[in-house]
Amino acid sequence: MRLPLNSFYVGVLLATTLLLGACGGSTSTSSSASGASSASSSSSSSSSSSSSSSSSGVITPVPGNLLSNGDVKAGISPWVARGAAQIQLNTSVKRSGNNSILVTNRSAAWHGVAFPLPQLTPGNSYEFYVWVQLAAGEGPTTAKLTIQYTDATGARYPNVASAPVTSSGWTQLHGTYVHSPSGPVNDLQVYVESDSVSASYYVDDLAMTGVIVPTTPPTGADITVDTSTTYQVIDGFGGAMPMWGQSSWTAAETRTLVGLGEGELGMSIVRTIIDPERNQWGVYADALALAQAYGDKVQILGSPWTPPAAWKTNNSRVNGGKLKTEYYDDYAYHLNDYVQYMRGRGVTINVTSLQNEPDWHPDYDSCDWSGDEFRIFLRDHGDKIQNTSIMIGESLGFARRLTDPSLNDSVAVTKFGHIGGHIYGQENGPNLSAYPLAVQKGKKVWMTEWNFHEADGANGGANGSTIWRDPQNKAVWDETLDTILRTVHRSMEANWNAYIWWWARRYYSFIGDETNGKWPTPKGQVLKRGWAFSHYSKFVRPGYVRVGTAKNSKTNGLEITAYQGDNKIVLVILNRQTSSVNGTIIGIPQKINSAEFYYTSQYSARESRAISVDGQKATLDIGPRSVSTVVLAY
C-alpha cells in the first residue's frame, strides 16, 4: 500500500472536525485527559471527545488525513494485532467503504489492533480520529485510543481519547495529542484497546491530521529508498532448536544465535518441537527461556510432528495416519497444556502450529491432515488453545489447499493468526509467492522450514566432507548466496512476515555442531552460512516495515530489499554478479545521521567497511558475489 507523499506537506494544523454523513444526527460528550495510560506516565498531553452516529448516508473523509489505509479500503496492511488479539477484515459491519477490522481473541485490556505512525515532529499537535463498534452480544465497555513509543526514558503510552462503546452503533474517539518525547523515538504506533479484557470489536476510519516536517528522497541516487511505499511488517528471522532428545543448545550457543552483540547472529524466532510425550516437554525449556531473556523480542514457534500414537488411525507416531475425530478435543487440550507448561517454565510460546508437514508421511513422526480437517478442528476446538496464536499449514511446499478452507470459513478464520509453510521443491516454484487471501484475512505468513545443503554432493555427501569448516570454500559460498539467501530475498518480496531455517546448529547451518565426525565443524562456532543469514536476522528487527526501492541502470543487477524502523533505514543487497558496483549512491528521504556497512563474501565474514555520508545520501563500494547490509540512522 502507498502512503501519499503529498500528504506530508500539510502546512498548518487542520481543524479538528469530522464531517458526518448527511443522514442521521449525532450527540457528543467531551472530556479532557493528559499524560499516559496506567502502563506508563508521559509528558505528552491530549484532550478527547466522542461522537455517536448511524453509518447511513455519505461518509466524508477527514480532510488532510496523513494516514493511508486507516479506512481499511486497501486491505489489512499496515494494521497489526497486539498481544494475543487476532484481526481480520470484515465486510458486513463497516462504517464506510468496503471493510472494517474485526478484533477478537483478546485476553488483556491492551490486546487490540495497532497502526504504525510516521515520525511525528516533536512539539507539534496532532488530531486523531477512529470509529469503534462492539461485536454483537458484547456488553458496553470503554474503548481507548492510545499512542505507544519508546524514547530515552523507556516505553510511553499516552492516551489520546476514550469513550463508552456498544454493539448498537459506531462511536467516534477523537482527541488531540502533543508529541513530546525525550530524545529519539522508536516503535511509534497508535492502537485501540478497551477496558474489557475480552470484548471483540470493529475498528474503522482511523485518521490523523497535523504537521510533519516534509521529507523527500534526493535526486541522483543509484538506489532510492521510498518510505511512502510500504509492504509487510517483519516478525523476524530464525532457525530451529535440536529435536527428538538431541542435546539442547548450550547457553553460549543460545547467546551466539539470538544475541545482538559482536559475533552474534540476532535471530528473533526460534522453532521448537512439541513432543507427543509430555515427559519430553522440558528438555529444551531452559534454552528457550534464555533465548527470550537474552535476545530482543524473540518469538517461539512450537510445532508438533505427531499427536500421541493412541489417538491416531494407524496407532503409530510414524508413517502419517490421521488424528481420530473423537480425539480432536484431547489434542486441543494437549497443545494447550504444552503452552501452559512452558509458561510455567518462563517460556512464552508465541505461536503454536497444529501440525508439521501434514502432506508428508515419512517413516518418522508425522500425521496427515486435509484442509477441511484443519477447518473443522479450528471451528470446533480452536478456542481451547489459549495464550498463543494458532498456526495452520506448514505443508511441505506451501500448498494453499491446506489453508484456504480455514481462511474462507467465517468461524474458523477467527481462531488462528498465522499461516505457515515450507518451500521444499518451491525454491524456484510458484508457491514461493504472495498469499493475497491470507493477507486479506489479516493473517501473518511465515516460512517455517527449509534446508538445502548439496555443496558437498547430492544427499549431503555420503562419504563426509570437510568443506563446511572452510570459511572460504567456493562451493559453500555459491550455494549460500545463490540458493539460500535468494530464497530469503524472494520470501521478503512475497510479503511474508518471517523466514525460519531448519536446525540452526548443524554443520551446514549457522553454527557448527561437532568438531569430529564425517562433517567436522567446530561446535558452537559461527559458520559462513550463519554470517550470511545474519545480514537479515541481526539488522532487520521485528516490527520493521519493508519499504520501496528504485534502481537505475548501474544497480539494476542487484537484488535489494529495504526496511524502516527505530529511526533507521536498513538495506540488504545481494550482488550475485561477478563484477563490483563501486561508488553506489543510496538516497533516503531523511537526513542521515550515521551509517554502517557490513559485508560478507567468499573471503570475508560480516566485516565492517567504509561508507561516506552527505546529507540524504550514502556512498559505498559493493563487491562481487557478496551480501551487504547498510544501516542508515536518521
Side-chain angles (χ1 to χ4, degrees):
M1 71 94 195
R2 296 177 179 270
L3 297 173
L5 233 116
N6 59 3
S7 66
F8 290 124
Y9 292 88
V10 180
V12 295
L13 184 64
L14 296 168
T16 63
T17 302
L18 179 68
L19 301 179
L20 299 175
C23 299
S26 67
T27 60
S28 67
T29 60
S30 64
S31 61
S32 64
S34 63
S37 68
S38 58
S40 173
S41 62
S42 172
S43 59
S44 302
S45 63
S46 64
S47 61
S48 65
S49 65
S50 66
S51 299
S52 300
S53 175
S54 71
S55 58
S56 59
V58 178
I59 304 296
T60 305
V62 175
N65 178 22
L66 297 176
L67 303 181
S68 180
N69 206 38
D71 57 9
V72 208
K73 291 180 180 178
I76 209 156
S77 180
W79 293 87
V80 293
R82 285 174 56 85
Q86 296 180 2
I87 62 173
Q88 65 184 95
L89 290 181
N90 182 276
T91 58
S92 58
V93 180
K94 69 267 189 182
R95 179 180 173 268
S96 70
N98 52 348
N99 300 312
S100 69
I101 288 180
L102 174 61
V103 184
T104 60
N105 199 49
R106 299 173 61 248
S107 57
W110 62 273
H111 294 180
V113 61
F115 192 99
L117 295 176
Q119 289 299 316
L120 306 182
T121 304
N124 281 9
S125 296
Y126 298 90
E127 297 292 320
F128 284 88
Y129 312 80
V130 72
W131 291 80
V132 179
Q133 178 175 321
L134 295 180
E138 299 286 1
T141 187
T142 297
K144 297 179 180 179
L145 187 65
T146 304
I147 301 287
Q148 173 185 317
Y149 62 86
T150 303
D151 63 10
T153 64
R156 317 294 283 176
Y157 304 90
N159 178 251
V160 177
S162 60
V165 291
T166 69
S167 61
S168 60
W170 290 95
T171 298
Q172 184 197 58
L173 280 64
H174 164 222
T176 303
Y177 165 70
V178 180
H179 190 48
S180 305
S182 298
V185 170
N186 298 321
D187 301 322
L188 182 60
Q189 58 182 264
V190 62
Y191 65 95
V192 179
E193 56 185 336
S194 80
D195 284 351
S196 167
V197 301
S198 60
S200 298
Y201 51 82
Y202 302 94
V203 176
D204 203 355
D205 291 333
L206 173 69
M208 179 187 79
T209 64
V211 179
I212 295 177
V213 176
T215 55
T216 56
T219 59
D222 302 308
I223 301 170
T224 301
V225 177
D226 176 13
T227 56
S228 70
T229 299
T230 61
Y231 301 99
Q232 76 273 33
V233 176
I234 302 303
D235 290 332
F237 303 85
M241 290 277 292
M243 299 175 183
W244 298 294
Q246 297 169 348
S247 63
S248 184
W249 296 340
T250 67
E253 289 168 346
T254 302
R255 288 191 288 267
T256 295
L257 288 166
V258 305
L260 292 174
E262 188 69 26
E264 298 175 336
L265 303 184
M267 289 188 349
S268 50
I269 301 178
V270 176
R271 186 174 182 231
T272 189
I273 190 170
I274 302 178
D275 200 282
E277 305 298 332
R278 292 170 180 252
N279 61 7
Q280 295 297 305
W281 287 354
V283 172
Y284 304 112
D286 289 344
L288 293 171
L290 177 60
Q292 289 190 315
Y294 185 76
D296 175 52
K297 302 176 183 176
V298 172
Q299 295 194 67
I300 307 297
L301 163 63
S303 294
W305 263 246
T306 181
W311 298 352
K312 295 173 62 181
T313 56
N314 65 352
N315 198 37
S316 172
R317 289 174 51 158
V318 304
N319 296 314
K322 287 185 175 292
L323 177 65
K324 296 177 182 179
T325 56
E326 60 263 34
Y327 286 103
Y328 274 19
D329 59 342
D330 295 280
Y331 187 53
Y333 287 125
H334 172 81
L335 295 178
N336 182 67
D337 288 348
Y338 172 80
V339 173
Q340 309 318 321
Y341 169 82
M342 295 301 279
R343 289 181 78 198
R345 293 291 299 270
V347 179
T348 298
I349 304 297
N350 305 90
V351 182
T352 301
S353 174
L354 296 186
Q355 176 63 45
N356 172 74
E357 295 179 352
D359 50 351
W360 178 242
H361 315 131
D363 58 356
Y364 53 82
D365 286 359
S366 52
C367 185
D368 179 87
W369 290 73
S370 70
D372 204 49
E373 287 163 343
F374 276 141
R375 180 187 67 82
I376 293 168
F377 180 91
L378 286 167
R379 184 194 66 193
D380 297 343
H381 304 284
D383 287 339
K384 297 180 175 71
I385 307 171
Q386 296 290 309
N387 306 118
T388 190
S389 175
I390 296 175
M391 171 181 284
I392 62 168
E394 289 214 86
S395 76
L396 192 70
F398 231 122
R400 273 44 166 187
R401 71 178 186 278
L402 291 172
T403 48
D404 279 357
S406 295
L407 289 169
N408 287 317
D409 185 290
S410 61
V411 177
V413 74
T414 68
K415 305 299 177 69
F416 69 103
H418 288 69
I419 296 286
H422 304 171
I423 54 171
Y424 295 106
Q426 293 298 315
E427 52 268 30
N428 294 301
N431 289 352
L432 206 173
S433 60
Y435 196 173
L437 180 61
V439 175
Q440 178 191 348
K441 301 294 184 176
K443 308 307 177 186
K444 297 295 188 72
V445 180
W446 286 15
M447 200 297 289
T448 56
E449 183 189 313
W450 193 52
N451 166 25
F452 190 93
H453 56 100
E454 296 185 0
D456 56 1
N459 301 316
N463 295 322
S465 175
T466 61
I467 68 171
W468 301 99
R469 69 183 181 188
D470 177 4
Q472 296 185 359
N473 183 271
K474 184 177 187 301
V476 171
W477 177 244
D478 287 349
E479 182 177 87
T480 299
L481 179 64
D482 294 325
T483 305
I484 310 305
L485 292 187
R486 191 151 190 274
T487 66
V488 184
H489 172 80
R490 289 188 61 211
S491 296
M492 295 299 99
E493 287 197 321
N495 293 323
W496 296 354
N497 305 96
Y499 185 106
I500 306 169
W501 177 250
W502 182 227
W503 286 333
R505 186 188 67 192
R506 197 68 173 109
Y507 66 88
Y508 52 76
S509 191
F510 302 157
I511 61 174
D513 64 343
E514 56 178 335
T515 303
N516 300 306
K518 279 188 173 183
W519 301 275
T521 50
K523 191 173 185 299
Q525 179 176 305
V526 179
L527 305 175
K528 179 57 70 73
R529 193 156 288 176
W531 293 121
F533 190 77
S534 73
H535 278 265
Y536 291 94
S537 60
K538 182 175 180 180
F539 301 104
V540 183
R541 303 306 303 161
Y544 283 22
V545 176
R546 188 167 74 88
V547 296
T549 60
K551 301 180 287 187
N552 62 13
S553 58
K554 177 178 178 177
T555 55
N556 192 50
L558 303 177
E559 294 165 294
I560 306 166
T561 51
Y563 311 85
Q564 184 177 32
D566 293 339
N567 291 330
K568 298 174 184 176
I569 301 293
V570 177
L571 298 95
V572 184
I573 304 169
L574 306 185
N575 182 12
R576 300 192 299 121
Q577 306 167 114
T578 56
S579 58
S580 298
V581 186
N582 293 331
T584 299
I585 300 173
I586 300 173
I588 70 171
Q590 301 85 2
K591 181 179 182 297
I592 302 170
N593 293 328
S594 64
E596 301 170 26
F597 171 27
Y598 301 95
Y599 180 87
T600 296
S601 69
Q602 181 182 344
Y603 305 105
S604 60
R606 209 178 74 196
E607 66 182 26
S608 178
R609 290 202 164 186
I611 182 170
S612 62
V613 171
D614 181 13
Q616 295 173 256
K617 296 180 179 179
T619 303
L620 67 158
D621 294 336
I622 301 172
R625 304 290 299 155
S626 65
V627 56
S628 300
T629 295
V630 179
V631 182
L632 305 175
Y634 55 84

